[in-house]
Amino acid sequence: ATAIGRAAGILRAARQPLLISAGTDVAGMRALIELAERCGGIVDHANGDALLRNLRVLRNTGWISTTLTEIRNRADLVVVAGSDITGRFPRFFERCFGEFDTLFRIGARELWFLGDVPADLPTTLRFRSESLPVDPVRLAEFFSALRVLFAGRVLKEKSVAGVPIGKLSELLERMRAARYGVLTWAAADLAFPHADLAIQSMCEFVKALNSENRFCVLPLGGSDADLTAQQVTTWQTGFPVRVNFSSGAPTHDSRRDSARHAIEHGEVDAMVFVSALDAARTPPAGDSPAIVLGRAGMRAEGCSVFIPVSVPGLHHAGHLYRADNVVAVHLRKIAESALPSAAQALQRILDAMKDAH
């Protein structure tokens, strides 16, 4: 109760607080948005930069996407761009591209990595894998060259992005021959300037391939419940993450309302940071008082208020959006905890602010 009262006092005194999710379920994100609206704050996700890399492309030019289930039952070729996937999605290949019965006859399955082959890739898949040493920062160049070759034009260069033209042509022919091909990436791993242009180049190439066969993209996300935050914020406000309630109505500016920009430019005077999934995700450094709702065991040094919270899918039921952003997965409670959920703690702060008026 003391912590709740202190948190409510900080937010009542703040002129523009910043509210950051670094991992909470649907209910927790709904409560965070309601609190942001109440105190006229900015709400963002800690992975906002990665989310916007994909969203800019989807918003500007669109893409032809697929789902995990479609890959499992139809795909005969998966091309992984700029990421080994398994670092963030350790069961991706086991669940979607392994040795199991499928709904349709697929035939031989093949993997191409534009980068290193993951060290923990199952042996059965390793024998059906190829890799090309493409630096992620040169993906836009690489896929632009593929579009040139696909259009039947000749490249005078002997290599593109460090890859010989012969290997580039070999990949192109394999992609053209696929019955159901998929190009996938994790935007969080494409952390370089203008990465959204690389993603756009990949998506435009896949659109071109669909004039001959069936090919799709699969932008993988969900780290620290970032897709959950995006979904909830969109249906609650009409905007993705980085929503500003300071005017009394939700507004969105992907640069101005980013958590990093607001902190670096001293534009916020209080912070709420929620990380119910990972105790290692700690709040960014800043001069303003910080209210932290974290998984038990978090070392949030220097914060003004710390409230330990329970974990969705472990200590309480909840919902999180899946890595392909199409299904809200129901999480069951499997262990007891005396700690409140993030949603409960945020609601108590909100109630304390209302009672003060």
Side-chain angles (χ1 to χ4, degrees):
T2 302
I4 295 294
R6 172 66 173 149
I10 291 172
L11 292 176
R12 282 197 301 270
R15 298 183 63 185
Q16 183 163 270
L18 172 65
L19 298 89
I20 304 173
S21 171
T24 185
D25 62 350
V26 167
M29 195 63 204
R30 287 174 68 104
L32 191 67
I33 293 171
E34 185 177 358
L35 183 59
E37 183 178 18
R38 175 72 185 185
C39 58
I42 299 170
V43 64
D44 193 11
H45 192 279
N47 298 347
D49 287 341
L51 286 171
L52 265 296
R53 285 175 203 138
N54 283 338
L55 283 173
R56 288 190 190 100
V57 177
L58 179 60
R59 180 170 54 197
N60 292 337
T61 56
W63 55 39
I64 302 170
S65 63
T66 187
T67 68
L68 297 176
T69 304
E70 286 285 279
I71 291 177
R72 179 183 176 91
N73 288 294
R74 295 184 185 274
D76 60 339
L77 172 67
V78 170
V79 179
V80 181
S83 169
D84 68 6
I85 295 295
T86 57
R88 295 182 183 276
F89 310 97
R91 300 189 68 192
F92 175 78
F93 295 113
E94 172 194 343
R95 298 294 299 273
C96 296
F97 216 62
E99 301 294 333
F100 43 70
D101 293 333
T102 60
L103 293 177
F104 309 100
R105 290 185 179 180
I106 297 174
R109 292 180 137 184
E110 191 175 347
L111 275 168
W112 282 71
F113 291 92
L114 306 184
D116 296 330
V117 176
D120 56 352
L121 188 70
T123 303
T124 54
L125 287 177
R126 188 174 292 276
F127 289 119
R128 294 186 274 119
S129 301
E130 294 276 352
S131 66
L132 299 178
V134 182
D135 187 333
V137 301
R138 302 187 72 179
L139 282 172
E141 176 187 353
F142 182 87
F143 280 95
S144 295
L146 280 175
R147 285 192 72 186
V148 170
L149 293 175
F150 180 77
R153 298 177 183 176
V154 177
L155 286 171
K156 296 181 181 180
E157 300 295 325
K158 295 183 178 180
S159 65
V160 175
V163 178
I165 293 298
K167 276 293 185 181
L168 206 69
S169 299
E170 183 182 346
L171 172 60
L172 175 61
E173 291 310 309
R174 181 63 189 92
M175 295 177 83
R176 297 177 90 159
R179 295 178 61 190
Y180 192 108
V182 176
L183 173 61
T184 184
W185 68 88
D189 291 335
L190 306 183
F192 51 86
H194 309 297
D196 49 317
L197 297 181
I199 295 171
Q200 185 176 33
S201 180
M202 292 190 281
C203 293
E204 292 303 301
F205 173 62
V206 167
K207 287 181 187 178
L209 279 176
N210 274 272
S211 64
E212 294 185 355
N213 64 346
R214 193 172 184 184
F215 223 97
C216 304
V217 300
L218 180 72
L220 287 170
S223 299
D224 305 307
D226 52 10
L227 292 180
T228 301
Q230 175 190 306
Q231 285 276 3
V232 177
T233 308
T234 301
W235 80 55
Q236 291 287 91
T237 70
F239 300 108
V241 293
R242 299 182 176 173
V243 179
N244 192 327
F245 289 94
S246 61
S247 67
T251 61
H252 169 74
D253 186 309
S254 62
R255 181 178 177 275
R256 182 199 64 197
D257 297 328
S258 78
R260 181 162 50 85
H261 180 274
I263 293 171
E264 289 177 353
H265 289 77
E267 295 177 355
V268 295
D269 53 0
M271 182 195 306
V272 177
F273 184 85
V274 183
S275 180
L277 300 174
D278 186 358
R281 288 302 302 260
T282 54
D287 297 328
S288 57
I291 302 159
V292 178
L293 282 66
R295 180 170 179 167
M298 177 188 290
R299 298 179 63 86
E301 299 177 359
C303 64
S304 301
V305 177
F306 178 76
I307 302 174
V309 294
S310 55
V311 181
L314 180 61
H315 304 128
H316 65 86
H319 293 85
L320 290 175
Y321 270 81
R322 205 171 64 179
D324 57 358
N325 204 23
V326 297
V327 176
V329 178
H330 176 64
L331 311 174
R332 294 179 298 166
K333 173 183 176 179
I334 60 175
E336 294 294 332
S337 174
L339 299 176
S341 67
Q344 290 170 335
L346 290 166
Q347 187 61 52
R348 288 190 61 184
I349 295 173
L350 188 61
D351 290 343
M353 293 183 67
K354 291 177 181 178
D355 291 343
H357 293 279

